Amino acid sequence: MEGLKKGTTIQSLQVGMGIVDLIAKQGRPLKFTDIHDLTKVTKSNLYKYLNTFTQLGILYRYKDSGEYVLGSRLIEYGMSAVDQENVIERITPYLQEINVKCSSTVLFSSWTHNGPMVVKEINTNRGFNIGAQKGTLLPIHSSTGKLFRAFMDEQLIREWKEKEFKQLPPERVSELEEERRFIQERKIAFAREPLVSSVSSVSFPVFNFKEKLLGAVTIVGFSELIPQNEEDEVSHYLIQISKEISIGFGYRAIAD
């Protein structure tokens, strides 16, 4: 490393972080053989690096395919995976506006291999139990979960989806699959009382310039205050502000 004297750095750590960096830059799950071909690290050492990073949560290994992706620990480190694009900082004014407009709690969630996780909460009514706060993992039948099911890469959410579907009756799974097409078209999702009785939610996506999902904004409140379909005036407002936020990250929204 340029500018550093020999003997003042840990070479094995540099090699290990180089492996993590390589996996991140590939932007897709990689098998052991893929990583070996790209890094040229000996197989015995590569096994040790990958096993260590997996145990630490830096990497995650899919059980069925054996492929590696970045782990959720990277998000837990100060939500650095989200802050790379200053997402939270840039959307907070919008979250505050929505909180006032809708008189309800507003959440922003990001993806982890265990499912969507709440990473920001705007809640002026602290005595109100919405069933979710920062660090909460949201289920697939919540409005947030529905959005990630609709817009995340199928390979990345495969294990989460299968685990979630096992906990639901077949008819509910079928309903969610049908609803997915609506969400992809309208870019808004609704859920009536998915976590707490009398509490419902509505969510919209935030995209970047690559048309990739950065996260989901969710409005949670008493069911009578939360819209249940796209025809509601509040829904129109949320769809418009969704476009405005995403355009700020370079997303090119297609005109209705």
Side-chain angles (χ1 to χ4, degrees):
M1 185 174 295
E2 189 174 350
L4 295 176
K5 294 181 179 179
K6 185 177 181 180
T8 61
T9 60
I10 302 174
Q11 186 177 7
S12 60
L13 184 56
Q14 291 177 336
V15 173
M17 292 310 298
I19 295 171
V20 174
D21 185 59
L22 181 145
I23 293 173
K25 288 180 177 178
Q26 291 300 305
R28 60 182 175 84
L30 296 176
K31 294 182 179 179
F32 178 88
T33 53
D34 297 328
I35 301 171
H36 179 255
D37 290 341
L38 290 167
T39 63
K40 305 304 180 184
V41 175
T42 62
K43 289 184 178 181
S44 59
N45 284 339
L46 185 57
Y47 272 119
K48 294 176 183 178
Y49 280 117
L50 296 179
N51 288 340
T52 300
F53 282 132
T54 300
Q55 290 176 9
L56 293 174
I58 302 297
L59 296 178
Y60 178 76
R61 183 177 182 270
Y62 290 113
K63 293 180 181 179
D64 55 349
S65 67
E67 294 171 318
Y68 293 88
V69 294
L70 297 182
S72 61
R73 180 62 62 87
L74 294 177
I75 293 179
E76 296 170 11
Y77 287 152
M79 304 305 174
S80 61
V82 174
D83 288 337
Q84 287 293 325
E85 298 186 68
N86 298 316
V87 176
I88 293 179
E89 180 181 347
R90 290 169 62 179
I91 70 169
T92 294
Y94 292 101
L95 304 184
Q96 293 169 335
E97 176 188 326
I98 296 169
N99 176 242
V100 173
K101 173 78 173 179
C102 299
S103 301
S104 300
T105 298
V106 183
L107 310 172
F108 180 71
S109 301
S110 184
W111 178 253
T112 76
H113 68 264
N114 287 321
M117 175 191 291
V118 177
V119 296
K120 179 70 176 180
E121 175 190 10
I122 303 292
N123 182 7
T124 57
N125 188 359
R126 290 294 171 183
F128 177 44
N129 178 21
I130 62 170
Q133 50 273 326
K134 189 174 180 179
T136 299
L137 291 167
L138 298 171
I140 200 168
H141 62 278
S142 66
S143 61
T144 305
K146 292 177 183 180
L147 270 183
F148 280 91
R149 170 72 185 100
F151 294 109
M152 284 291 291
D153 182 271
E154 185 72 22
Q155 193 170 16
L156 294 178
I157 67 170
R158 181 176 56 223
E159 287 190 11
W160 170 69
K161 181 190 72 172
E162 292 175 354
K163 179 181 177 182
E164 291 285 315
F165 279 177
K166 287 179 180 178
Q167 302 177 42
L168 299 173
E171 59 272 18
R172 185 69 182 114
V173 172
S174 297
E175 290 174 2
L176 289 174
E177 289 298 272
E178 291 180 8
E179 192 175 358
R180 180 189 178 201
R181 289 187 286 272
F182 165 84
I183 295 169
Q184 289 174 329
E185 178 183 345
R186 304 300 176 87
K187 295 181 174 59
I188 191 168
F190 306 90
R192 189 161 186 83
E193 306 180 2
L195 301 178
V196 178
S197 177
S198 78
V199 176
S200 297
S201 63
V202 55
S203 300
F204 63 79
V206 176
F207 298 108
N208 66 8
F209 67 99
K210 295 180 180 179
E211 300 186 6
K212 298 293 185 181
L213 187 66
L214 290 176
V217 176
T218 302
I219 298 83
V220 188
F222 288 117
S223 296
E224 61 266 25
L225 298 177
I226 302 299
Q228 295 300 311
N229 59 67
E230 73 278 14
E231 300 302 328
D232 192 285
E233 180 183 348
V234 174
S235 296
H236 287 296
Y237 161 73
L238 295 175
I239 291 172
Q240 184 57 42
I241 204 168
S242 172
K243 293 178 181 178
E244 186 176 340
I245 295 172
S246 293
I247 287 172
F249 291 102
Y251 174 71
R252 299 182 63 181
I254 299 175
D256 295 329

